[in-house]
Amino acid sequence: GAVVSQHPSWVICKSGTSVKIECRSLDFQATTMFWYRQFPKQSLMLMATSNEGSKATYEQGVEKDKFLINHASLTLSTLTVTSAHPEDSSFYICSARDLTGRSYEQYFGPGTRLTVT
Amino acid sequence: AQKITQTQPGMFVQEKEAVTLDCTYDTSDPSYGLFWYKQPSSGEMIFLIYQGSYDQQNATEGRYSLNFQKARKSANLVISASQLGDSAMYFCAMTLINTGNQFYFGTGTSLTVIP
């Protein structure tokens, strides 16, 4: 099956610094990638939809200046958490749609656990 | 608006027994897909099973089957012969086929398999 990777798998950073998380589709091309955030014992919340070559679409309540998304190629999308604060500590998961597959299929990355101290 | 409801925050099942995890959904779009994912403590989302709104038969994948009742808008997951490794969070999700965009997730059910 299709594989999506995320890097790093976990990261600890100090308050006020920025952190970049990468999401890669390893064996397929993805015009659309999605970024989710998951707090402990809660469901996945969609943060934004990332389209290759265009601006991301953010969900209501998500600060686009804080969570910068770049989808520069068909296999890579990045999420940068700028000026991170402890409340940004969460599990971030990306998913990707396969261009050649069924339009509704998404493949999930393994997630990135962010801890802001 | 689309909505997924999972009313069981936690479930327990004896090893080797079957268990049903409930999921109801709400949408006015006739073309949709329903998914079940397993999320172990490691955090990865593991795809289990898919059911399309126009599929005539209930989906099955090994020990997983989806009890799809369209009129009731329910898509319950049945796990047969539970194993200790089945202990995890289970999420029901829906997507709209024609838009093919975001997934709508339920709040999840934590399943514990008791030896």
Side-chain angles (χ1 to χ4, degrees):
Chain A
V3 178
V4 174
S5 71
Q6 276 185 246
H7 178 80
S9 55
W10 61 270
V11 58
I12 301 173
C13 71
K14 294 193 174 184
S15 188
T17 61
S18 296
V19 174
K20 180 184 284 188
I21 302 170
E22 293 185 349
C23 176
R24 292 182 185 273
S25 55
L26 297 184
D27 50 0
F28 67 98
Q29 294 183 321
T31 52
T32 304
M33 291 184 173
F34 303 88
W35 286 95
Y36 297 85
R37 181 166 57 180
Q38 184 181 31
F39 292 109
K41 300 192 184 301
Q42 293 188 24
S43 188
L44 281 71
M45 291 175 48
L46 180 67
M47 298 175 66
T49 301
S50 165
N51 293 298
E52 186 265 337
S54 63
K55 290 184 179 180
T57 302
Y58 290 82
E59 294 299 299
Q60 193 173 8
V62 178
E63 300 174 59
K64 59 183 178 182
D65 294 330
K66 180 170 186 61
F67 299 100
L68 301 179
I69 291 172
N70 184 286
H71 194 157
S73 77
L74 286 173
T75 59
L76 173 64
S77 175
T78 60
L79 167 68
T80 301
V81 182
T82 62
S83 186
H85 291 286
E87 57 265 31
D88 298 324
S89 298
S90 187
F91 191 58
Y92 294 86
I93 306 176
C94 72
S95 69
R97 284 175 53 199
D98 183 350
L99 267 180
T100 61
R102 294 176 292 194
S103 63
Y104 46 83
E105 275 190 312
Q106 288 187 28
Y107 302 96
F108 286 86
T112 296
R113 204 166 297 279
L114 170 64
T115 301
V116 184
T117 60
Chain B
Q2 281 57 238
K3 188 176 181 181
I4 293 281
T5 302
Q6 293 180 254
T7 58
Q8 306 156 312
M11 289 282 286
F12 292 86
V13 64
Q14 204 74 38
E15 193 178 5
K16 300 181 185 178
E17 297 293 313
V19 64
T20 298
L21 306 184
D22 294 342
C23 172
T24 58
Y25 60 93
D26 190 22
T27 181
S28 57
D29 197 305
S31 301
Y32 52 88
L34 297 160
F35 298 78
W36 277 94
Y37 286 88
K38 171 184 178 182
Q39 188 181 42
S41 56
S42 59
E44 59 181 316
M45 296 290 283
I46 301 170
F47 167 76
L48 296 179
I49 198 165
Y50 166 78
Q51 180 85 42
S53 59
Y54 295 117
D55 292 344
Q56 295 296 314
Q57 293 189 329
N58 287 345
T60 60
E61 291 283 351
R63 295 187 298 111
Y64 305 106
S65 60
L66 198 152
N67 184 0
F68 182 44
Q69 298 191 40
K70 198 170 182 177
R72 294 185 178 183
K73 293 189 174 180
S74 74
N76 298 339
L77 176 71
V78 180
I79 305 175
S80 63
S82 297
Q83 302 171 356
L84 295 179
D86 293 335
S87 294
M89 281 292 290
Y90 288 79
F91 290 99
C92 180
M94 176 174 67
T95 191
L96 302 182
I97 300 297
N98 292 329
T99 59
N101 289 324
Q102 69 180 90
F103 273 27
Y104 301 90
F105 282 95
T107 51
T109 296
S110 176
L111 177 66
T112 302
V113 180
I114 304 167

